[in-house]
Amino acid sequence: MSWLHTWTGLVPGWLLFIIFLFGTAAFFQSEINGWMKPELYSASVTRGVLDEAYAYLNEKAPHAARWSISLPSGRRPEPFTVSWRPQEGSSSQAGEAVLNEQSGREIAVRDTQGGYFLYRFHYDLHYLPQRWTRLAVSIAALAALVGLLSGIVTHKKIFADFFLMRFGKGQRSWLDAHNVTAVLALPFHLMIIYTGLVTLLFTMMPWAISAHYPSVAAFYEEMHSAGPTQEPAGEHAPLLPLADLTDRASRVWRGAEPDYIAIDNPGDAAAMVTIWPRNDAITGSPGKIYLSGVSGRLLHAAPQRGAATATEDVMIAIHAGRFSGPALRWLYFLSGVGGTMMIASGLVLWTVKRRARLLDPARPYFGFRLIERLNIGVIAGAPAGIAVYFLANRLLPLDMAHRADWEINSLFIAWGGLFVWTLARPAKRAWIEALAACALLYALVPIVSAATTTRGLVRSLIAEDWVFAGFDLVMLATAAACALAAWKVASHTPKAAPRRASREPTEATA
Amino acid sequence: MTDTAIFCLSLAGFAALLLAMPRHQDDWFGRKLTATTGRALRLSGLAALALAFFVAGTGFGWGYGAVAWFGWLTMAAVLVVTAHTHRERIMRKIRR
């Protein structure tokens, strides 16, 4: 069983490391969004906020075919966005604006993908066709599940060694670290890999759809019923206050909060308001509902979910952890850090174990060099890329064309650059320099943020702005961890393998 | 509040489970405890973890509570392992 664990872990290992690293960051997706859009502040959906949205849209696009309003959640700085789409054949343009939730005035928010990119990258990757990357991610996740289960079997003394972590013993310590990070967060690892496979269910097993539907699109059309459509009546009628409509929706949902509102034919007698709920319950969210904008009558509610869909919703909810409060979100994050470390320690262990057995340690064979180089370039390179992504968010000019794309490009340029640099250096120096670069880059993030925005660490601590303070503190903690790792590698003196040490003198005398 | 209770119970539970193992009794006490004491420690450790689950379920609802329980179990175990790994430094402080 040991060979199975070794190869199911090693072959997709670097991809799994990336998935875990970015996925772990994605637990704080909304918080990262907030930090990367420092123009935004936390706001709740109040009657006033909805009135402002209405006033703005009514002035800007009174004859639009559709208005849309994306609501803030109150817990995090989220954009309060309104958009409008003109009627077909009209000369006016579609548009979008981010509003200040207090003044109702338009504010300029920098162009960024924010935490959403980190989230998307953890299953879609980037620059490559989604179809193939999702398949690669699915296969890697399947291998991870096999690796995890075979790892439990290989480990054998899972309970006897439960509390065991021995430092300073070379290979033994790496094995202990791999075991401890795997076993202590084992429920999390099993859950996250299994439910991760569920989220990509139809990538791996598309046949349930292809056996019953003419196309994938037809399946999704039936899954997410389009709901009723309303033709404009051509008669003017005032829209009910939006707050009354969202109150009504919350009553139908038994308390769930509204997340997104679309208003078809605003100002017309046939105005229809569609309201989506916030997806933050462990059991998944109720369906969207359709109300008449003039009378408030319920036109249509999405049908009750079937048992299979409900099960899928719960699994996806547990995977993403969107329902969790601050404490549980941190537990998700820390367990994710454990998983990332489990994969990294496993990859490093492969080389540690084989280095002792190298015939000529100065010139290892190709496979060994390949894996060692990939380890350095991915394990120390990817985190550096993320730090540069955050730095680019603060440093790129605000009016740059394709700014959001360039933030993402910066991530990969930095990562690629560091990777190439490490290839040119001896392995141990490469580890030290790449980890030191990570430490430096992460330490720079709060400094650059304080210099380029008005929301630096000191100010956010004073203002008790926990999203910003927390983000900056996590950056500093990451910098400290990378610096510690670099220092540990630098001060590590490998114990000469006892066998070789004793053999060399005999060879010399012989 | 519920979070703190789950965490403290899990911490106590894992500490008891650690001390219920003869090899770790050597580490901490310099001798092995009797089989009866060991069994009592193991049972009380498991009982503390079960109680933590009950607290999580009643405090948060069983769905949310179960997820939170697993999370806190991991953190408690990490803390116990960390303390155990650095036991010599801790013991030196205690003796002084």
Side-chain angles (χ1 to χ4, degrees):
Chain A
M1 208 62 143
S2 170
W3 62 270
L4 184 64
H5 180 71
T6 303
W7 296 105
T8 52
L10 181 74
V11 176
W14 301 281
L15 182 54
L16 286 173
F17 178 82
I18 292 167
I19 296 170
F20 263 74
L21 180 72
F22 283 80
T24 300
F27 286 129
F28 283 121
Q29 192 190 151
S30 307
E31 285 77 4
I32 296 173
N33 274 338
W35 187 88
M36 291 181 81
K37 293 174 184 170
E39 299 85 359
L40 300 176
Y41 290 84
S42 302
S44 320
V45 187
T46 57
R47 203 158 254 282
V49 165
L50 290 164
D51 288 344
E52 279 155 18
Y54 174 77
Y56 184 91
L57 285 165
N58 203 25
E59 192 198 308
K60 200 90 180 176
H63 304 295
R66 178 176 243 210
W67 294 345
S68 309
I69 308 167
S70 176
L71 295 164
S73 75
R75 283 187 288 273
R76 301 175 199 99
E78 278 170 327
F80 167 36
T81 316
V82 295
S83 57
W84 56 94
R85 202 178 63 206
Q87 274 168 12
E88 265 174 62
S90 120
S91 60
S92 47
Q93 296 273 313
E96 190 182 78
V98 181
L99 301 187
N100 177 308
E101 69 294 336
Q102 257 134 41
S103 66
R105 244 177 267 140
E106 198 175 331
I107 47 174
V109 177
R110 62 189 65 200
D111 180 23
T112 176
Q113 293 256 355
Y116 178 69
F117 170 73
L118 302 178
Y119 162 74
R120 277 303 288 268
F121 185 73
H122 103 279
Y123 61 92
D124 268 354
L125 309 181
H126 197 61
Y127 297 127
L128 301 164
Q130 199 186 70
R131 200 179 148 172
W132 298 110
T133 53
R134 283 200 182 174
L135 192 62
V137 168
S138 299
I139 292 170
L142 197 59
L145 192 60
V146 174
L148 199 60
L149 296 174
S150 61
I152 298 170
V153 177
T154 315
H155 188 17
K156 289 190 210 100
K157 295 191 287 183
I158 202 160
F159 289 112
D161 285 354
F162 193 89
F163 297 108
L164 223 51
M165 177 69 231
R166 289 155 292 191
F167 283 116
K169 292 198 172 160
Q171 187 184 331
R172 183 79 248 175
S173 301
W174 281 105
L175 184 59
D176 281 352
H178 188 54
N179 287 344
V180 160
T181 47
V183 172
L184 297 189
L186 190 59
F188 173 83
H189 301 327
L190 282 169
M191 175 280 284
I192 210 78
I193 295 172
Y194 185 80
T195 55
L197 279 165
V198 171
T199 61
L200 295 176
L201 183 66
F202 294 120
T203 308
M204 285 292 257
M205 296 189 288
W207 308 290
I209 294 177
S210 51
H212 294 282
Y213 292 90
S215 71
V216 176
F219 166 73
Y220 282 107
E221 211 163 283
E222 192 169 323
M223 278 285 286
H224 308 284
S225 60
T229 48
Q230 291 272 43
E231 288 301 315
E235 248 173 83
H236 180 80
L239 192 69
L240 279 177
L242 290 173
D244 291 354
L245 295 166
T246 55
D247 282 351
R248 164 113 220 229
S250 283
R251 271 202 304 281
V252 174
W253 293 327
R254 298 201 191 93
E257 280 178 66
D259 182 45
Y260 193 84
I261 307 174
I263 302 134
D264 289 297
N265 316 320
D268 189 273
M272 180 175 73
V273 179
T274 314
I275 308 178
W276 282 259
R278 192 163 285 284
N279 183 10
D280 60 0
I282 194 167
T283 47
S285 57
K288 59 186 168 185
I289 64 170
Y290 302 81
L291 302 171
S292 157
V294 176
S295 67
R297 195 164 53 84
L298 181 68
L299 298 175
H300 179 74
Q304 199 86 36
R305 290 168 300 166
T309 314
T311 309
E312 189 192 0
D313 282 354
V314 170
M315 286 196 182
I316 293 173
I318 295 176
H319 183 87
R322 289 204 184 93
F323 59 87
S324 48
L328 186 52
R329 196 168 290 272
W330 273 102
L331 295 177
Y332 262 105
F333 177 77
L334 292 171
S335 299
V337 171
T340 314
M341 280 162 55
M342 165 184 77
I343 295 165
S345 60
L347 287 168
V348 171
L349 181 58
W350 192 94
T351 58
V352 169
K353 202 168 165 184
R354 279 155 189 82
R355 177 169 294 122
R357 289 195 241 124
L358 284 176
L359 292 175
D360 179 3
R363 296 185 59 197
Y365 53 93
F366 174 75
F368 185 90
R369 281 202 313 255
L370 176 73
I371 284 161
E372 185 175 51
R373 291 298 163 176
L374 277 168
N375 279 353
I376 304 171
V378 174
I379 295 172
I386 295 178
V388 170
Y389 179 61
F390 294 148
L391 287 171
N393 176 262
R394 291 293 192 260
L395 293 175
L396 291 181
L398 292 180
D399 53 0
M400 187 178 186
H402 306 292
R403 188 177 186 282
D405 291 338
W406 276 104
E407 285 183 8
I408 296 168
N409 293 340
S410 311
L411 189 162
F412 294 105
I413 292 168
W415 180 1
L418 193 64
F419 204 138
V420 171
W421 171 260
T422 59
L423 289 180
R425 305 286 289 160
K428 188 176 167 178
R429 292 303 312 167
W431 271 116
I432 298 169
E433 287 162 8
L435 287 168
C438 278
L440 186 70
L441 289 168
Y442 276 101
L444 274 175
V445 172
I447 299 171
V448 168
S449 177
T452 52
T453 67
T454 54
R455 303 177 77 175
L457 179 56
V458 178
R459 282 199 202 193
S460 50
L461 279 172
I462 293 169
E464 295 181 23
D465 178 353
W466 299 123
V467 170
F468 270 66
F471 186 99
D472 283 353
L473 290 172
V474 169
M475 291 299 110
L476 292 177
T478 312
C482 293
L484 181 71
W487 180 70
K488 283 276 177 197
V489 180
S491 62
H492 174 73
T493 43
K495 288 189 197 107
R499 218 155 30 123
R500 199 177 307 121
S502 62
R503 197 189 295 151
E504 268 162 7
T506 36
E507 276 167 0
T509 50
Chain B
M1 191 50 223
T2 312
D3 283 312
T4 319
I6 306 169
F7 179 62
C8 291
L9 281 167
S10 320
L11 199 60
F14 275 122
L17 286 175
L18 173 92
L19 295 176
M21 294 165 81
R23 70 194 287 192
H24 297 316
Q25 291 165 359
D26 264 344
D27 297 335
W28 283 93
F29 306 118
R31 66 188 169 86
K32 293 216 181 354
L33 303 176
T34 59
T36 330
T37 323
R39 203 172 313 122
L41 275 170
R42 180 151 53 249
L43 283 178
S44 45
L46 291 174
L49 299 187
L51 187 60
F53 183 72
F54 182 77
V55 170
T58 47
F60 285 137
W62 295 101
Y64 191 104
V67 181
W69 180 69
F70 275 121
W72 283 119
L73 276 194
T74 299
M75 292 312 129
V78 167
L79 202 64
V80 169
V81 169
T82 312
H84 180 64
T85 312
H86 298 283
R87 64 184 171 277
E88 272 157 21
R89 217 177 295 166
I90 297 170
M91 294 301 271
R92 235 177 288 141
K93 282 227 174 93
I94 294 171
R95 280 198 204 103
R96 222 179 281 152

